[in-house]
Amino acid sequence: MSDSFSAEGLRRIRRLAWIVRLMCVVGALFIGSLPFFFWAQPDWVAAVAAKTWGLTTMQLDIGARLWALAASLLPTSACVFSLWQMWALFGCFAQGELLARRPAQHLRLLGLGLCTLSAAQPLGQTLGILALTMGNPAGQRQLSFSLSSDHYLALLFGLLLLALAQVVHEAARVADENAGFI
């Protein structure tokens, strides 16, 4: 399908693809390892939980932090999955595969990853707060659920990518069909 793009256009796409792929690897390494570093440091957890979630009484023992780590791995996994799909999508672009079924599939999975992330973030936060306060005395346990515009935007961008994936898939189908006429 790269025949319809100029050599200069393909060169720009390839350069951008390698930059994005590098950013995806760096992001996946950082995002994938941060929860393990964060939950291993009780003082850091206490400071963030007090400032961000308003927790004044919490349990910072290893069990509570391991449960909170497990909760934080929900959005972390969705984010790393999304970065993996973006890495694969831009790999297709780097190979000159633009309006084809394989990039459409990665675009669809990226959209699904972002939609999943929009739900995993508030769920992970809720479960993390619950993990830190479950060992508190009765009346001091907390269950908190909140949504933000970030969650809403992640959902909208995920839905946008799902629609674009369908458009690219249809364009690839038509291109394949037209190639059969030649």
Side-chain angles (χ1 to χ4, degrees):
M1 196 57 172
S2 61
D3 296 341
S4 61
F5 291 90
S6 70
E8 177 63 24
L10 279 175
R11 192 168 63 248
R12 279 191 223 136
I13 289 169
R14 286 186 175 117
R15 185 173 47 238
L16 177 62
W18 289 113
I19 292 168
V20 171
R21 290 185 94 196
L22 177 63
M23 291 175 71
C24 288
V25 168
V26 169
L29 289 173
F30 179 75
I31 292 167
S33 61
L34 183 62
F36 296 98
F37 290 116
F38 174 73
W39 293 107
Q41 301 179 43
D43 293 339
W44 189 11
V45 172
V48 169
K51 184 177 179 183
T52 305
W53 302 325
L55 299 182
T56 55
T57 305
M58 67 193 96
Q59 304 303 309
L60 295 172
D61 60 273
I62 190 70
R65 287 184 289 125
L66 282 174
W67 280 110
L69 169 64
S72 71
L73 290 179
L74 292 170
T76 298
S77 298
C79 193
V80 169
F81 175 81
S82 297
L83 287 169
W84 173 35
Q85 292 307 316
M86 186 177 289
W87 183 83
L89 173 65
F90 277 85
C92 293
F93 294 165
Q95 295 171 2
E97 196 176 349
L98 304 173
L99 296 175
R101 292 175 195 250
R102 198 167 66 118
Q105 179 66 11
H106 290 301
L107 193 59
R108 185 179 82 74
L109 291 171
L110 175 57
L112 289 173
L114 287 177
C115 289
T116 301
L117 181 62
S118 73
Q121 285 178 324
L123 180 61
Q125 181 178 328
T126 297
L127 293 174
I129 291 170
L130 188 59
L132 293 178
T133 62
M134 187 57 81
N136 288 353
Q140 293 183 11
R141 297 177 188 132
Q142 290 187 13
L143 178 62
S144 173
F145 183 80
S146 62
L147 295 173
S148 75
S149 59
D150 292 342
H151 307 134
Y152 181 69
L153 285 174
L155 177 62
L156 284 179
F157 279 115
L159 294 171
L160 170 67
L161 292 178
L162 287 172
L164 288 174
Q166 189 61 42
V167 169
V168 171
H169 179 77
E170 187 62 21
R173 185 193 65 73
V174 168
D176 289 346
E177 190 177 288
N178 288 342
F181 292 127
I182 297 174

